[in-house]
Amino acid sequence: MSEATTPETPPTGAGGETVTRFAPSPTGLLHLGHAHSALVAQAAARHAGGRFVLRIEDIDTVRCKAGFVDAILEDLTWLGLSWDGPVLRQRERQGAHAEALARLDALGLLYPCFCTRKEIRAEIQQAAAAPHGPAGGAYPGTCRRLTSAQRAARHAEGQPYALRLDVNAAHERVGFPAWHDRHAGTATADLRPGGDIIIARKDIGTSYHLAVTLDDAAQGVTLVTRGADLIDSTPVHRVLQALLDLPVPEWAHHGLLADAAGRRLAKRDRSQGIRYLREAGYTPAQVRAMADFPADTPAPYSA
Ligand code: GLU
């Protein structure tokens, strides 16, 4: 296995145009945190003379609602945001997602996982009692150890399954690729502490990780701007890029909006909703100011 290496020159977006994106999931109405993210992305693109693209992340057929898509587009427009090119609906990309999944499978990097959450919890508790149990809440690899006969039997019974990435096998193949964040600097992607992650969920046959990685590449995104709450996902995306020979963007994880007491804004708080503020009589400029860069969040181009 190639051990962790930090190249002297971290990978960055293609030398040409800067392309940023905003990628909301239509599981609810937009709130100030979303507006912040969209403004950061648009500002970074405009500053670099590049493009800002929009993607609706609607692969979760259970949680995403069509009505929210229209509401999101309307609220963004009301805020004064505009994006370049057509809006990409992630659901339209299912064929490309399935193709990539098949490629990973053909490389021998995926295995079906039949475990329920309850079974995983029980296994972790049991393993934690052992001296060399897995770290934290990482998947203990139960289904990785199934024999092909056991797998075949479960498939024959029609048991639902997710597909997990064998992270050790993945690192064997691509090593520990570096990634660069404009604020946090350069890091190497090491997925071992998190254990084998789900690449295709039982219910939707794909995952946020796979879809976001493929679709950022498909939209030519060179600077992934998003909230710092998603930074732990980035090593997964970086490894997927290496496995699937995708171009490597740069990242800019921005700080999350906080209230005056420094508490992170609660998404469920209705009074932070763009729709609510709009109906309460605030102007787009006022809402933009509320969502704009607070002191602790440098705009991505200032770093
Ligand atoms: N769709 C995700 C969300 O709404 C954001 C994904 C991303 O920016 O990478 O939380």
Side-chain angles (χ1 to χ4, degrees), residues 107 177 213 220 258 276:
L107 293 173
T213 305
Y276 174 89

Side-chain angles (χ1 to χ4, degrees), residues 21-27 34 37 55 57 90 208 212 216 224-227 229-230 237 267:
R21 50 50 145 203
F22 176 53
S25 304
T27 54
H34 289 116
S37 218
R55 178 172 69 243
E57 301 217 311
Q90 209 158 41
Y208 159 65
V212 81
D216 274 338
V224 175
T225 45
R226 63 177 167 218
D229 53 336
L230 287 169
H237 306 168
K267 284 188 188 160

Side-chain angles (χ1 to χ4, degrees), residues 99-288:
E99 220 169 88
L101 204 57
R103 267 182 76 189
L104 294 172
D105 199 27
L107 293 173
L109 299 174
L110 304 181
Y111 62 86
C113 173
F114 304 91
C115 294
T116 61
R117 274 172 210 214
K118 203 171 149 198
E119 284 164 350
I120 296 172
R121 266 200 308 273
E123 178 89 16
I124 289 173
Q125 268 161 14
Q126 210 180 13
H132 302 292
Y139 179 64
T142 322
C143 285
R144 185 174 2 95
R145 292 185 289 271
L146 293 180
T147 62
S148 36
Q150 287 169 322
R151 271 178 201 158
R154 292 185 183 222
H155 282 312
E157 282 168 24
Q159 275 196 29
Y161 60 92
L163 291 173
R164 285 189 187 266
L165 180 72
D166 180 334
V167 298
N168 282 316
H171 283 305
E172 285 284 350
R173 194 171 176 91
V174 296
F176 297 84
W179 58 279
H180 182 73
D181 180 277
R182 286 201 178 175
H183 310 306
T186 301
T188 49
D190 182 354
L191 307 186
R192 292 173 301 183
D196 295 344
I197 36 155
I198 291 183
I199 291 296
R201 279 166 39 181
K202 279 182 190 172
D203 54 349
I204 56 170
T206 181
S207 63
Y208 159 65
H209 294 312
L210 184 69
V212 81
T213 305
L214 291 167
D215 295 349
D216 274 338
Q219 288 188 285
V221 172
T222 64
L223 177 64
V224 175
T225 45
R226 63 177 167 218
D229 53 336
L230 287 169
I231 200 165
D232 290 343
S233 297
T234 301
V236 177
H237 306 168
R238 181 65 190 91
V239 167
L240 288 175
Q241 284 155 1
L243 292 169
L244 294 165
D245 305 310
L246 297 171
V248 182
E250 196 180 1
W251 282 264
H253 293 91
H254 59 74
L256 303 175
L257 284 188
D259 64 17
R263 281 184 302 256
R264 191 176 150 189
L265 295 185
K267 284 188 188 160
R268 277 182 289 274
D269 185 345
R270 247 183 95 243
S271 68
Q272 309 300 334
I274 306 304
R275 204 42 76 102
Y276 174 89
L277 294 165
R278 183 177 161 181
E279 280 161 11
Y282 287 90
T283 65
Q286 285 170 326
V287 177
R288 276 202 309 274

